[in-house]
Amino acid sequence: MSFTQQARRYFTGSHSLCAIAVASALTATPMAVAQETTEEDDRGKLERIEVTARRTVESLQETPVAITSVGAVELAEKGISVLTEVQQFSPNTTLQTSRGTNSTLTAFIRGLGQQDPLWGYEPGVGIYIDDVYVARPQGAVLDLLDVQRIEVLRGPQGTLYGKNTIGGAVKYVTKPMSGEAEFNVEATVGSYNQRDVKLSGQYPLMEDTVYLGFGYANLNRDGFGEFLESALPNQDRENYNKDLWAARLTLEIHPSDDLFLRFGWDKTEDDSNAKGGYRLLPSILTDAPVPDSVYDSYTSMPTWNKVELEGYNWLVSYDVTDSLELKYVGSHRESYSPTNIDFDNTPLVIFDVPAEYDDENDTHELQANYLGESFSLVSGLYYYDGESCGNFDAILGVLGASLGAAGLTREVTGCNNSESWAAYTQLNYDINDSWSLSLGARYTDEEKSAFVNNGLIFDNVYPSTGWVDGYVRPPGQLVPQVLGTDTDGDGVLDAPAVQSWSRFTPRVGIEYQASDDTMFFASYSQGFKSGTFNPRATVNEAGVEPEVVDSYELGVKSDITDTFRANVTLFSYDHSDRQYIGVSGDLSDPTALDQVLRNAAETAAKGLEAELTWVATDNLQFDVAYGYIDFEIKENNAIPPLIGLASTPENTLNINANYLMETTFGDIVFNANYYYRDDYLLFETSDLIQQDAYGMVNLSARWESVEGDWYAGLYVKNLTDEEYLVGGYDFVTRGDDGSFGPGLGGDTTLIGYYGDPRTVHLTVGYRF
């Protein structure tokens, strides 16, 4: 049997087996031997999938959670190389690249998430790498290097995963080590001069005791478009290009059968250019025409951009008894990202925003897992200490000139720091052979401190002289601190603003095992997104309260026959105390800059998610993933008012066909999938930018030699070259007759950012 056939049986995937070794990457136990099921009688039947959504190893069909799992083999067969592509296979899920960079993630599940990546704002979908929380969206568009599996958990995960998982969680699981010497080299060439190299492997430093693993990727691609005109000379004019490298090292130590240690390091540097947006309306201040291609742009800013990430993680696991496991998981992560965002995308200084993001956090988690005769218990203590800082200059040069000044800059700097701890537990109890009960609870206590310097400078000011040559900050023009505390009553802020929140989040679930192959489940769960302070504050204001989501689910997981699987979930939720930043004052004033953050809305939604698998023959399989969501606004005090969900279509659909052709020179796996997204808004409070419904076709063929050492794949993505929006800016006014007028900056700034066009790439690899 070839490596492909074995992997399709034993490795994690949306339709393949997760080996016990894979689960060990999450549970931190030494790799065990998977029970093989290589009999020919198992060909053409559904495979068992094991997941760790509840922090223990379980069968997907016995886990009462709405979850999609995409494994290493399926990722390779489809040529999926970046996290955002996983959205196609999970219903009601949006994972997209944000507006100005290649590495910032916009994530929504069931319409719950966070679009603004500014420091201080918390995500609504948690991102995890080997159970380590990735706190900021910068750098969260992960390129898939040495990955074993991606899990998408839908619905609030507040009990086991904590705050900021009101929509769900996405778990990136790296490959565990086998203990053998292994090496894999892979090269890819493709459209737009794509040139990728990936190296990975492992080596036993001490036989059966100490293993060293490594991975390295260098990813390059020319731009999908170009900057047609720039006010600065000698610039790299590529737009939507890619220039990134990433590396990781892992050391595993197995001192005894009961003790396991793992230490990891990873680093990523993304030097891809800042992305220029496409003007959806002509500029009224320049004579530059709207570009012919949605990937072309104009700019008055430097095109360079950078995202630097580095992290350390460590894990210790000790099996006290056959029933009790103790774990300690820790991490330290840092990120730094200077970026250039030309909001207006013209050669004039109409609305330029150079910015810097600087983040650092530490996490510590102690966990105890106990397995009894009729119950299991997961419990733990968690601590998080994070500092999130940044600055940006909103440079409105043309507007400043119209006011008779040398320029106009709104400068904002600040930090929004968080320290929190939590205690959690979840009990899964078998009442009898058919009925089981799950009870979970988490208590979180959090303190945040923040300060904001915010003010106007009547000049064009950049963060440093290196940002744009020739621009120097005028002396003495430092903006005042506007958010903090006045301890001596002299009217001068002299300390950060400080506020604390605490929250108890429960979960109650009941499961009924109707037969060996069918389980029904119902649950109530609660999650919350942290309270925070306004990072754009112009006056001293209190922090907003946490957002809270109360969610209800009713589902069934059934292997109706040994060739047909149906997993269906009905859900509804109430989303209260939603945090919105709105304009303060006259909404018709296009130069309004003052913004207020407050809990301004309550919404609700209900929907359905269905994931179906049919093994038609020994070699042919079909998969369908469908999501539907119906949204309701119950209270609406947002300014401007809330009108819908951001980046969330009412319907999503994916239909996939997979065929395995066996030949004398190796196996060839053919894949074809059609992915459909209904129309959707880009912003919750504006219908100025909308994406019409579209469908996307992807094709692939992957060959593997009989020996399993050589492999190659040919991949065609977005075959019909669909153009679809993933981000934008809308700084424009609209009259009663539907005409557009100037907004902030004095221009008709309506900008769109687009997903990837049609691409073709060829991958060749060798493993030994």
Side-chain angles (χ1 to χ4, degrees):
M1 178 177 289
S2 73
F3 178 85
T4 297
Q5 290 173 299
Q6 294 180 49
R8 284 164 61 86
R9 293 184 185 279
Y10 309 125
F11 285 136
T12 306
S14 62
H15 30 256
S16 51
L17 173 65
C18 168
I20 299 300
V22 176
S24 72
L26 290 179
T27 60
T29 56
M31 183 173 60
V33 178
Q35 294 183 347
E36 296 190 357
T37 55
T38 60
E39 293 85 354
E40 288 299 315
D41 290 344
D42 288 339
R43 290 286 300 275
K45 296 182 180 180
L46 293 168
E47 299 294 344
R48 176 183 172 87
I49 305 169
E50 290 185 343
V51 296
T52 53
R54 298 195 294 179
R55 299 292 187 98
T56 58
V57 181
E58 299 175 290
S59 164
L60 174 68
Q61 295 305 100
E62 297 172 354
T63 305
V65 176
I67 178 174
T68 297
S69 178
V70 186
V73 172
E74 184 176 4
L75 294 169
E77 290 175 352
K78 294 177 170 63
I80 296 173
S81 60
V82 67
L83 182 64
T84 51
E85 294 181 87
V86 175
Q87 78 165 13
Q88 300 178 43
F89 308 99
S90 179
N92 290 326
T93 299
T94 296
L95 300 171
Q96 294 178 335
T97 304
S98 190
R99 300 176 280 237
T101 75
N102 283 325
S103 301
T104 302
L105 181 68
T106 297
F108 287 87
I109 297 178
R110 296 179 178 174
L112 302 170
Q114 172 63 42
Q115 192 168 61
D116 196 332
L118 201 65
W119 67 89
Y121 288 127
E122 303 285 2
V125 174
I127 307 297
Y128 294 83
I129 303 176
D130 289 337
D131 274 358
V132 173
Y133 179 53
V134 178
R136 304 299 304 147
Q138 286 80 21
V141 179
L142 302 169
D143 288 275
L144 305 187
L145 172 64
D146 209 23
V147 66
Q148 179 62 57
R149 154 191 179 174
I150 303 293
E151 280 187 12
V152 181
L153 285 60
R154 296 185 296 276
Q157 306 295 320
T159 301
L160 292 178
Y161 293 90
K163 62 179 184 175
N164 303 333
T165 58
I166 56 175
V170 179
K171 300 177 65 174
Y172 178 113
V173 184
T174 58
K175 289 181 179 178
M177 296 193 206
S178 66
E180 303 294 331
E182 297 177 2
F183 184 72
N184 191 92
V185 58
E186 180 179 295
T188 299
V189 295
S191 304
Y192 301 96
N193 198 24
Q194 181 181 356
R195 311 169 307 284
D196 297 344
V197 175
K198 294 183 179 181
L199 307 173
S200 61
Q202 57 181 285
Y203 188 80
L205 301 180
M206 295 178 61
E207 186 175 359
D208 299 328
T209 305
V210 182
Y211 314 138
L212 177 66
F214 60 90
Y216 173 79
N218 195 299
L219 312 176
N220 292 272
R221 186 197 65 229
D222 293 346
F224 299 143
E226 61 178 328
F227 291 95
L228 302 176
E229 186 176 349
S230 172
L232 301 174
N234 303 319
Q235 290 229 79
D236 185 344
R237 295 287 187 89
E238 290 187 74
N239 196 18
Y240 289 82
N241 72 327
K242 190 167 190 175
D243 181 5
L244 177 150
W245 69 265
R248 66 170 64 241
L249 290 173
T250 304
L251 182 69
E252 289 187 1
I253 306 174
H254 304 251
S256 67
D257 292 340
D258 299 327
L259 182 62
F260 172 74
L261 301 93
R262 184 178 68 204
F263 304 91
W265 166 85
D266 66 270
K267 186 169 185 178
T268 299
E269 287 196 10
D270 185 356
D271 292 313
S272 311
N273 287 346
K275 287 198 300 188
Y278 176 73
R279 288 197 63 95
L280 300 169
L281 292 174
S283 168
I284 61 175
L285 298 178
T286 75
D287 57 1
V290 173
D292 294 332
S293 169
V294 297
Y295 303 104
D296 288 345
S297 189
Y298 305 93
T299 187
S300 58
M301 299 192 70
T303 59
W304 60 261
N305 184 77
K306 182 180 286 292
V307 177
E308 295 178 339
L309 308 169
E310 187 168 16
Y312 303 87
N313 62 85
W314 50 92
L315 181 152
V316 180
S317 173
Y318 178 59
D319 292 333
V320 182
T321 67
D322 291 342
S323 301
L324 177 63
E325 177 199 43
L326 300 179
K327 289 170 58 176
Y328 165 51
V329 182
S331 72
H332 173 80
R333 297 199 66 83
E334 299 179 3
S335 68
Y336 174 65
S337 178
T339 186
N340 291 286
I341 309 173
D342 191 331
F343 278 50
D344 60 281
N345 294 116
T346 72
L348 296 181
V349 183
I350 297 173
F351 195 168
D352 291 357
V353 182
E356 290 179 290
Y357 302 90
D358 195 352
D359 302 288
E360 182 176 339
N361 64 76
D362 296 275
T363 65
H364 303 275
E365 182 171 8
L366 295 174
Q367 190 179 112
N369 301 323
Y370 187 82
L371 180 63
E373 290 186 4
S374 60
F375 71 94
S376 63
L377 184 69
V378 177
S379 58
L381 297 172
Y382 180 81
Y383 176 76
Y384 172 87
D385 184 12
E387 180 178 277
S388 181
C389 301
N391 67 81
F392 69 85
D393 291 291
I395 304 165
L396 311 171
V398 173
L399 178 60
S402 69
L403 299 175
L408 178 64
T409 300
R410 167 73 78 179
E411 182 165 276
V412 180
T413 66
C415 289
N416 203 309
N417 303 328
S418 173
E419 184 176 7
S420 66
W421 66 268
Y424 64 89
T425 186
Q426 181 158 304
L427 171 70
N428 303 312
Y429 176 67
D430 295 331
I431 301 172
N432 54 42
D433 290 343
S434 299
W435 291 91
S436 59
L437 179 70
S438 61
L439 297 173
R442 189 181 190 105
Y443 178 80
T444 303
D445 186 271
E446 181 172 28
E447 181 178 278
K448 280 195 173 183
S449 62
F451 71 87
V452 176
N453 298 313
N454 192 328
L456 287 175
I457 301 172
F458 288 93
D459 208 331
N460 294 336
V461 174
Y462 286 78
S464 68
T465 57
W467 220 276
V468 178
D469 292 337
Y471 286 84
V472 180
R473 174 190 301 281
Q477 292 194 354
L478 297 177
V479 298
Q481 182 178 333
V482 298
L483 178 64
T485 57
D486 179 9
T487 56
D488 54 14
D490 64 356
V492 179
L493 301 175
D494 53 9
V498 180
Q499 194 162 337
S500 298
W501 299 272
S502 61
R503 190 79 197 180
F504 173 79
T505 50
R507 185 186 190 278
V508 180
I510 189 166
E511 300 90 42
Y512 175 63
Q513 196 73 38
S515 67
D516 290 342
D517 301 314
T518 300
M519 178 190 69
F520 295 92
F521 64 92
S523 68
Y524 161 77
S525 60
Q526 188 180 85
F528 79 97
K529 189 167 79 169
S530 290
T532 192
F533 292 95
N534 181 4
R536 298 184 180 90
T538 55
V539 296
N540 196 8
E541 58 184 74
V544 293
E545 295 299 311
E547 297 184 7
V548 177
V549 171
D550 293 284
S551 176
Y552 304 85
E553 290 188 358
L554 179 65
V556 59
K557 295 191 173 184
S558 178
D559 290 351
I560 297 173
T561 69
D562 59 4
T563 61
F564 185 73
R565 173 173 294 161
N567 294 342
V568 180
T569 304
L570 301 173
F571 68 87
S572 68
Y573 65 75
D574 290 299
H575 187 187
S576 58
D577 288 327
R578 296 190 62 170
Q579 302 164 2
Y580 281 99
I581 190 164
V583 175
S584 174
D586 185 3
L587 288 179
S588 64
D589 179 5
T591 66
L593 290 168
D594 295 336
Q595 297 178 324
V596 176
L597 180 66
R598 56 199 180 103
N599 301 106
E602 180 179 352
T603 60
K606 56 189 175 184
L608 174 147
E609 292 157 354
E611 296 178 277
L612 312 176
T613 297
W614 177 39
V615 183
T617 70
D618 287 356
N619 293 45
L620 178 63
Q621 181 169 301
F622 295 95
D623 295 273
V624 175
Y626 171 71
Y628 166 77
I629 187 167
D630 180 24
F631 177 68
E632 175 188 0
I633 300 172
K634 301 177 72 173
E635 182 180 343
N636 195 357
N637 297 315
I639 303 174
L642 177 70
I643 61 173
L645 288 171
S647 301
T648 301
E650 185 176 40
N651 294 278
T652 59
L653 173 68
N654 190 69
I655 302 173
N656 187 86
N658 177 288
Y659 180 73
L660 171 64
M661 184 174 72
E662 300 169 285
T663 74
T664 57
F665 54 86
D667 293 342
I668 303 175
V669 178
F670 297 94
N671 258 285
N673 81 284
Y674 173 76
Y675 177 55
Y676 172 82
R677 284 175 72 86
D678 221 342
D679 55 272
Y680 54 88
L681 300 172
L682 265 293
F683 301 103
E684 297 170 311
T685 57
S686 173
D687 60 359
L688 292 175
I689 305 180
Q690 301 185 58
Q691 173 60 52
D692 293 335
Y694 69 92
M696 183 187 301
V697 176
N698 303 299
L699 303 173
S700 67
R702 190 174 191 271
W703 164 81
E704 190 166 295
S705 66
V706 176
E707 295 78 11
D709 49 0
W710 285 98
Y711 61 91
L714 180 64
Y715 309 94
V716 182
K717 299 178 182 179
N718 193 5
L719 176 66
T720 57
D721 206 19
E722 295 291 327
E723 293 180 352
Y724 56 98
L725 287 158
V726 296
Y729 293 110
D730 58 343
F731 294 94
V732 64
T733 57
R734 186 163 56 183
D736 295 336
D737 60 355
S739 61
F740 294 100
L744 184 59
D747 200 7
T748 49
T749 299
L750 194 63
I751 306 299
Y753 295 87
Y754 287 80
D756 292 1
R758 177 175 54 241
T759 58
V760 181
H761 65 268
L762 173 68
T763 295
V764 177
Y766 180 72
R767 63 172 73 93
F768 58 89

